[in-house]
Amino acid sequence: MKSRWTTPVKTGRARRPLTAWAFLAPYTVAVVLLIALPALLNVGYAFTDHTGLTRDPQFVGLANVRRLLSDGFLLDSLQASLFHVALAVPVRLLAAVGLGLLLAAPRPGGRLFRVAVYLPTVIPDVALAVLFLWVLNPMYGPLNQLLGLFGHPGYTWLADPTTARIGVVLMLAFPIGEGFIVVLAARRLLDGRLYEAAALEGCGPFGQLRRLTLPLLAPVLVLLAVRDTILTLQVNFVPAYVLTDGRPANATLYLPVYIFDQVFEFSGFAYGSLITIMLMAVTAVIITLQLLLVRRWRVLR
């Protein structure tokens, strides 16, 4: 006998749930339209005489490639970019990881310190660069005044090639909020029982950092290293353009700045497209070397 509370079972074909492709479809379309298609057009323009002003560029073969191979300013730009990556990536990574681990544990005023670390990230790049024009001023800048307290005469930061590069890196050492948040969240997800067991075995704070924290956070550190490599190679236009405009002596003429000069100041759209391809290739080579080095060290086991 059927109960009146029995729910009738509907027969027929069940509706399939939405797959992951349904959620990824808008992003896929955006990647194709905003990244893949412009990249293909960029490759095509690199072998033309396009100036950005004409409608029908003419095919010129490898003329732009020959120009690239004999461009002395491009060599200076490449050297400046590689030096910038070698200096800026370790500084940003060390600051993000160090502050993330330091502020992961509950402590008085921890929220205020975390907000202070993240705050420079929300400041527009142009505003931060203008602020650093004041910070690095050789006459009344606070950085030279701070050095003066220790008896140092200070530096003409943006007038010397070496200190100009260091000045740009100092500016980029502050907007590290994304990496800081990632390290902070990853550290809080680690099992506290591991640290309790390590303490019972007599492992101190430094030993726990070296034997537990850093190995467990290795995937996160690799991700941040790759991200910061891309960032410092391809998104360093604003600080270099506002602070130094590629000077002095082409010390901060990074590849994005040189591409901007070629495209918008000299109407060399095609040549700028070719340099952009080279920038993408340099980025891919550096990231590949990083991943091969990580694999050799067996960090991601």
Side-chain angles (χ1 to χ4, degrees), residues 85-173:
V85 170
L87 187 61
V89 171
V91 169
R92 288 176 53 87
L93 191 61
L94 183 62
V97 174
L99 291 172
L101 297 179
L102 182 64
L103 298 176
R107 63 181 71 250
R111 291 184 178 180
L112 180 62
F113 290 127
R114 289 189 288 270
V115 170
V117 173
Y118 189 79
L119 186 60
T121 306
V122 302
I123 300 176
D125 291 341
V126 174
L128 190 61
V130 172
L131 177 63
F132 260 78
L133 283 176
W134 167 68
V135 172
L136 300 175
N137 188 284
M139 300 295 295
Y140 52 81
L143 188 54
N144 272 358
Q145 292 183 5
L146 179 62
L147 293 175
L149 297 178
F150 299 94
H152 195 281
Y155 299 99
T156 53
W157 288 96
L158 301 180
D160 181 80
T162 302
T163 54
R165 290 173 173 176
I166 295 176
V168 176
V169 172
L170 286 177
M171 174 190 161
L172 293 178

Side-chain angles (χ1 to χ4, degrees), residues 9-29:
V9 179
K10 294 182 179 181
T11 59
R13 190 173 183 180
R15 181 179 298 177
R16 293 183 179 180
L18 290 175
T19 62
W21 290 107
F23 295 99
L24 294 176
Y27 300 97
T28 305
V29 172

Side-chain angles (χ1 to χ4, degrees), residues 199-212:
L200 291 176
E201 293 292 333
C203 189
F206 180 76
Q208 294 176 13
L209 174 66
R210 185 169 62 90
R211 299 174 183 274
L212 284 178

